[in-house]
Amino acid sequence: EAAVTQSPRNKVAVTGGKVTLSCNQTNNHNNMYWYRQDTGHGLRLIHYSYGAGSTEKGDIPDGYKASRPSQENFSLILELATPSQTSVYFCASGDLLGGGEQYFGPGTRLTVL
Amino acid sequence: TQTVSQSDAHVTVFEGDSVELRCNYSYGGSIYLSWYIQHHGRGLQFLLKYYSGNPVVQGVNGFEAEFSKSDSSFHLRKASVHWSDSAVYFCAARRGSALGRLHFGAGTQLIVIP
């Protein structure tokens, strides 16, 4: 049974619109992460969280907000979507003191027109 | 600057061949290293990790990786590949103090010809 789920799996948005990507994990991990994946860039960290109520900026946070209302849920919010945010977004969870082991969701493909 | 580099964007081999996927890092101090696999259209899956001890670590499905401090490397190997090993492989690293933040390489696409 999938331990990290994402919704929606596919999303088409218009420029300037608001987009919310949701992530749920049943691993009971403290840490959660949002990445985007683009050809030639690998995975880049957008925001992450150490637990409910906390959010931290990753390497490319501009244009994104994050929300961690509970241990299980972590959302990524694009207040004003732009075509440059067209990408595949992955959520992951991991232990706070883990040795690098993260568990990934299936991804959300976002297209901003 | 902390970087993880994977020098080969693509590697093509025949089924049954051995393969080595290369990863080099530039970090100081203690470091965690790991490898992930991504099949087409899927999320990443953890393969193996190294922090200390035996520099050769075993992972799932016959994969192993060897850490070398002198070469700043953590190459992934498999003795005999199967067509189902075709995927993109990512090397990742984090500092010992970074509380879970990973830095990923750009990935190597492995193509296994049946």
Side-chain angles (χ1 to χ4, degrees), chain A residues 70-86:
Chain A
S70 65
Q71 178 84 339
E72 298 79 19
N73 295 294
F74 190 38
S75 297
L76 185 68
I77 303 148
L78 291 65
E79 295 278 5
L80 294 170
T82 69
S84 65
Q85 293 175 312
T86 293

Side-chain angles (χ1 to χ4, degrees), chain B residues 80-94:
Chain B
S80 178
V81 296
H82 187 264
W83 65 266
S84 60
D85 294 325
S86 296
V88 181
Y89 292 79
F90 291 94
C91 182
R94 76 165 178 93

Side-chain angles (χ1 to χ4, degrees), chain A residues 11-17 19 81-86 110-113:
Chain A
K11 173 75 176 178
V12 179
V14 295
T15 298
V19 177
T82 69
S84 65
Q85 293 175 312
T86 293
L110 173 65
T111 302
V112 183
L113 302 176

Side-chain angles (χ1 to χ4, degrees), chain A residues 21-98:
Chain A
L21 307 183
S22 300
C23 178
N24 177 275
Q25 57 108 352
T26 57
N27 297 318
N28 198 32
H29 288 153
N30 288 321
N31 284 12
M32 295 186 74
Y33 309 85
W34 276 107
Y35 297 90
R36 63 178 284 176
Q37 184 177 35
D38 304 285
T39 303
H41 288 281
L43 276 82
R44 293 181 289 174
L45 182 63
I46 306 170
H47 284 288
Y48 60 104
S49 168
Y50 292 131
S54 93
T55 60
E56 306 288 338
K57 293 181 179 180
D59 298 320
I60 53 165
D62 293 345
Y64 302 93
K65 292 183 179 179
S67 173
R68 183 87 181 271
S70 65
Q71 178 84 339
E72 298 79 19
N73 295 294
F74 190 38
S75 297
L76 185 68
I77 303 148
L78 291 65
E79 295 278 5
L80 294 170
T82 69
S84 65
Q85 293 175 312
T86 293
S87 186
V88 180
Y89 292 85
F90 288 97
C91 175
S93 73
D95 286 330
L96 184 64
L97 296 177

Side-chain angles (χ1 to χ4, degrees), chain B residues 12-92:
Chain B
T12 301
V13 297
F14 288 95
E15 194 169 33
D17 285 350
S18 63
V19 70
E20 179 178 86
L21 305 182
R22 293 179 290 185
C23 173
N24 292 88
Y25 63 90
S26 61
Y27 286 75
S30 62
I31 185 171
Y32 291 91
L33 293 160
S34 51
W35 277 94
Y36 289 78
I37 180 174
Q38 184 182 32
H39 287 102
H40 181 69
R42 309 283 292 275
L44 279 71
Q45 290 178 278
F46 172 79
L47 273 181
L48 47 76
K49 65 183 176 185
Y50 171 83
Y51 177 61
S52 64
N54 188 336
V56 179
V57 292
Q58 305 295 324
V60 298
N61 294 334
F63 285 98
E64 68 174 31
E66 183 167 4
F67 169 73
S68 171
K69 187 173 182 178
S70 60
D71 293 339
S72 298
S73 68
F74 188 56
H75 301 330
L76 182 71
R77 300 190 295 246
K78 187 169 183 178
S80 178
V81 296
H82 187 264
W83 65 266
S84 60
D85 294 325
S86 296
V88 181
Y89 292 79
F90 291 94
C91 182

